[in-house]
Amino acid sequence: FAKRLRVLGRTKGQRYGTIRKAHITTSCRKFDLFGDWFLFRNPKLVYDIFKQNQKAVDELYYNVRATSAENTK
């Protein structure tokens, strides 16, 4: 996301920077939905996400029902 945001900023003549002192708490809803074993049952999906395969990331994030239905089989 940060890389794409930097490119977008360059095309619009805007600066990209990092806020170092801000703290956020991320949501664990996806983890709670899929459970602990999701990562072990889907190593290819995890690999694709770490390799920044945007299609895999979008599938997991936006198509939650289909992804969770596939994993209940």
Side-chain angles (χ1 to χ4, degrees):
F1 178 76
K3 290 178 184 178
R4 289 184 289 154
L5 189 59
R6 181 181 302 168
V7 171
L8 178 65
R10 283 183 189 158
T11 61
K12 296 186 179 250
Q14 297 174 333
R15 270 184 37 203
Y16 173 83
T18 303
I19 302 171
R20 298 188 187 275
K21 294 185 179 183
H23 298 281
I24 62 167
T25 303
T26 59
S27 172
C28 294
R29 286 181 287 174
K30 295 284 191 256
F31 187 75
D32 292 341
L33 175 66
F34 294 123
D36 300 355
W37 287 98
F38 179 77
L39 301 176
F40 295 107
R41 289 185 198 143
N42 299 288
K44 183 177 180 341
L45 178 64
V46 174
Y47 177 79
D48 287 344
I49 290 169
F50 280 111
K51 288 295 183 178
Q52 298 180 355
N53 177 342
Q54 194 60 43
K55 184 178 177 184
V57 172
D58 290 345
E59 184 69 23
L60 175 63
Y61 191 80
Y62 293 109
N63 199 0
V64 174
R65 290 184 183 153
T67 306
S68 61
E70 290 173 8
N71 294 307
T72 56
K73 293 178 183 177

